[in-house]
Each structure stands twice: as C-alpha cells, then as structure tokens.
Amino acid sequence: MTTPEASRVEAGARGATRVADRVVAKIAMQAAREALRASSPADGPVRANARAKASVHRQGGNGLGQAHVQVDVDLDYPARIGSQCAEVRRHVRERVEHLAGMSVRQVAVSVERLHGPQSSDVERVR
C-alpha cells in the first residue's frame, strides 16, 4: 500500500503529455468539418461531405506551446463566406484548446474552392 505522503508527487515531477502536431491538425480538421456542417440554413446549403484540411505550427519551448493553425476549406456558393469562416475559426480554436490542452494563437482559414449550385461530377457543356 502507498501512504498518502508517498502518492503525492509534485506536478513538475510527474512528467508531461505532448500532443503531436499531426494529432492537433486532425483535431482542427474535424472541428472545421463540424463547424461547416453546423452552418445555419441562412448561410446556404452545406454539403454533407464538407472538406477541410489543416496544418499546425507550434511555437514555444515547453511541451504544449502555442499553436498556429491553418485550415483550408471548400464552401458551397452562394453563402455567407465571412460568417462561415468566422464560425470555423471560433470552433477550431475552442476544440483544439479543449482537446489538446494548448493555447491557439491564430487560426487562419483559407477558402480553396467555391462549389456553385451547378458544380457537380457532371461535366459542363460548352
């Protein structure tokens, strides 16, 4: 059995957990998809397979540091692009901070493609 005194170890002596950058990127990517799927109908239709990809750059010497997250998304058009990007930015920051336990200094959202109502797998006629 352990005594209460022996089981109390200072926080710094217990070690640290470091979440890999690729894991943080996956969290950010999933959060971006969640935000796109949850867009309000006023923002226009949202595809069920909302595309997003993310990359993370860490700054800081300790195990956690501060994350700079880059998220690339595809959006349907017409839509309120600014409000959708703001929602993606907010949700990604919230989820990464909560799940990875690190602060997010910046979330940059880039729109890679806009899908119009006529864009599909069908080729357009010239």
Side-chain angles (χ1 to χ4, degrees):
M1 288 198 128
T2 60
T3 64
E5 295 167 8
S7 64
R8 293 184 185 164
V9 179
E10 293 296 321
R14 287 187 290 224
T17 301
R18 184 180 194 282
V19 181
D21 289 354
R22 66 188 171 111
V23 174
V24 177
K26 286 182 180 184
I27 292 170
M29 182 174 51
Q30 181 61 34
R33 287 183 184 144
E34 290 170 1
L36 291 173
R37 288 187 189 123
S39 292
S40 66
D43 287 339
V46 176
R47 291 172 291 123
N49 60 346
R51 285 197 36 193
K53 61 183 179 178
S55 62
V56 174
H57 303 285
R58 191 181 306 248
Q59 191 177 42
N62 63 4
L64 297 177
Q66 295 179 334
H68 294 264
V69 181
Q70 169 71 41
V71 180
D72 301 323
V73 296
D74 290 1
L75 297 178
D76 287 326
Y77 185 82
R80 294 183 180 156
I81 297 169
S83 65
Q84 282 187 335
C85 289
E87 179 58 23
V88 167
R89 194 175 297 113
R90 183 199 64 77
H91 194 65
V92 166
R93 177 184 308 273
E94 179 182 288
R95 297 300 287 162
V96 168
E97 287 178 347
H98 177 74
L99 294 174
M102 60 189 306
S103 65
V104 177
R105 185 171 184 158
Q106 176 184 12
V107 178
V109 179
S110 296
V111 178
E112 288 211 338
R113 290 186 190 94
L114 293 175
H115 297 278
Q118 297 171 343
S119 65
S120 65
D121 293 336
V122 179
E123 189 175 323
R124 296 174 77 181
V125 178
R126 290 186 179 180

